[in-house]
Amino acid sequence: MGKTLSEKIIARAAGRDSVQPDEIVTVEVDLAMIHDSGGPRRYWKTMQEMDVGVWDRDKLVVVSDHYVPAKDIAAAEILQLTRDFAAYYDIPRFHEAEGIAHTIMIEKGYVRPGMLYVGGDSHSLTGGAIGSFAVGMGSTDMLRIVTTGTTWLRVPHTIRVVLDGSMPRGVAAKDLILTMIGDHTMAGGLYKTLEFHGSGIEAMSIEERSVLSNMCAEIGAKAGIVPADAVTRRYLADRGIEQDEPYPASDHDATFVDTWSYAGTEVQPVVARPHRHDDVVPITAAGEPPIGRAYIGACTGAKYEDLAMAAEVLQGRSVAPNVLLQVAPASRAALQRAIETGVASRLMEAGAHILPTGCGACPGIGTGVLAPGEVCISTTSRNARGRMGSPDSEVYLASPYSVAAAAVAGRVVDPRAMLTEDAA
Amino acid sequence: MIEGTAWKFGDNVDTDVIIPGKYLILPANEAAEHVMAGIRPGFADEVSPGDVIVGGSNFGTGSSRESAPRAIKDAGIAAIVAKSFARIFFRNCINVGLAPVECARADEIEEGMRVRVDVDNGRVEILDTGQSFDAVRLPEEIASILEAGGLVPMLKEQFRR
Ligand code: SF4
């Protein structure tokens, strides 16, 4: 019987010929990522007590993104400890304030097709955009991986997601994944792999694919894989990584427990309403609520293409006087490219406040958090009560187009109107 | 055997409300005082050791922060009985030595009821009504981590050898 991509990758990492869904296996991971918030500060002391070091310094990536730039002394100490850890174990791939871990792992070509990759963060699924089996885990699981390179996994069942045809202008991967979350609820993919297929996916850039993989976390999934293809090969080649071998894929007779199908042309701009990311409605049915804050940030919402989408809407327009639009680029590379292409100046001319790269207000840890009563529309991934600051603030989740359009209108509106206007 | 009072929560309890982001800067033991700050402030003071949290489906969804189950355990909660768990949260519970008990009929348990939880045999009993429900038994590989008191004691034992 055929095997899914997840089963193949897990079997290889477990040193087995094949594995079955629901089986628990021990695997050797190919790549691991830890960050400043859930990383060394949580277990370096334990490592010293146990008198063990890092299992393989070349397979570990350390990123400081949650607490950069330090807003107080306690944050500075967390960054210092992370820096000391990287220096002590001589970790070659340590990145502080260079971007959000999930974006860096892809942008720098660290994650590769077919890898079993584990990150110490719930959005580590992002690596699935490159065709890896990418999962997130908590601190103590990462302690085991950092010191032994192994972990246990329950082999997931796979749901096939098909996007037939490309989506119209003004509609982004964020709209597709929010639509999926709305249709299937935040527990709809619990413990499963979501594997993406169809002509709409094949035509999608790696950055847009990474939005899908990233937010499979919001549907409860273990992994969100876009099988590697010609787009992946080109993306890696652009980073000097030449791969000739065929990429692993699911067999055509593999067992999928379900299929979720979407027609590209029917996907429309949507928003997730406060305080549930699965309370999703078409943006035209949201009732145009007024907003005072627009936030373009996070691993899922502030890569170069996200900034470019926002700039497309903001070009020749201004942010409404009562709105604060903040942009926290997902990486230094994203910002640099936005500067080179003029995207950054279009954002700034419209009145955007550019924040440093990092997690920023997304987890309510960094700068740009919300006060009680503030209503925000955001390109981030979650809107649980208090996620971005005060428990009495409200967050709508939407695409970069929709967030930019809301910043201009001062309320939640359909961004397509602003895109057709300049086409006319 | 675990025996205590049930504290009831709903579906999709997010780790962002169990330990809001602003407390993550604190060391784990200090963060514990703020457990459930986003949904039921003052919870840590109300709980007695051995009490049980009862949740709906997808308990512990969201961020991978291990501070969430750690804070629940530090508050004195001995087990979480829920219809289902978010996967990282489930692992984190095992790793900090807090029993996650998956029970399809968890929603029949009311706030304040006395419950008895048999983790090894997969049973949940409501002492007030005498009802008894099946729960999912943990696979051996996972139960052994819980029995060791969590993943750190287990690793310490491994590295000692
Ligand atoms: S940007 Fe937000 S979702 Fe992404 S890693 Fe940082 S805190 Fe998590």
Side-chain angles (χ1 to χ4, degrees), chain A residues 41 140-141 152 191 387, chain B residues 16 24 66 85 91 156:
Chain A
R41 64 185 284 229
T140 305
D141 269 321
W152 63 268
Y191 298 114
R387 166 82 181 174
Chain B
D16 261 300
L24 290 180
E66 198 178 86
F85 290 88
R91 296 184 72 113
K156 282 190 170 162

Side-chain angles (χ1 to χ4, degrees), chain A residues 24 41-42 49 52 67 121-122 136-141 148 151-152 186 190-191 222 276 382 384 387, chain B residues 12 14 16 24-26 58 62-64 66-67 84-85 87-88 91-92 95 139 142 151-152 156 159:
Chain A
I24 292 176
R41 64 185 284 229
R42 302 291 188 197
E49 282 164 22
V52 286
Y67 287 97
D121 188 282
S122 60
M137 291 188 191
S139 300
T140 305
D141 269 321
T148 68
T151 191
W152 63 268
M186 60 173 90
L190 214 53
Y191 298 114
K222 174 175 273 176
R276 287 186 66 126
R382 296 197 179 118
R387 166 82 181 174
Chain B
N12 303 306
D14 197 297
D16 261 300
L24 290 180
I25 201 156
L26 300 172
N58 200 22
S63 153
S64 63
E66 198 178 86
S67 337
S84 63
F85 290 88
R87 55 162 290 273
I88 299 181
R91 296 184 72 113
N92 286 344
N95 291 345
I142 299 174
L151 186 54
V152 168
K156 282 190 170 162
F159 283 120

Side-chain angles (χ1 to χ4, degrees), chain A residues 39-92:
Chain A
R41 64 185 284 229
R42 302 291 188 197
Y43 46 72
W44 192 11
K45 232 178 94 214
T46 311
M47 286 173 70
Q48 288 166 332
E49 282 164 22
M50 299 192 297
D51 196 23
V52 286
V54 168
W55 111 97
D56 187 340
R57 59 193 273 278
D58 293 318
K59 290 184 179 168
L60 181 66
V61 179
V62 183
V63 179
S64 281
D65 55 3
H66 282 63
Y67 287 97
V68 295
K71 61 175 180 186
D72 55 23
I73 296 167
E77 283 176 346
I78 291 170
L79 294 172
Q80 181 182 50
L81 183 145
T82 312
R83 207 179 297 137
D84 289 349
F85 176 94
Y88 185 83
Y89 294 107
D90 197 17
I91 306 295

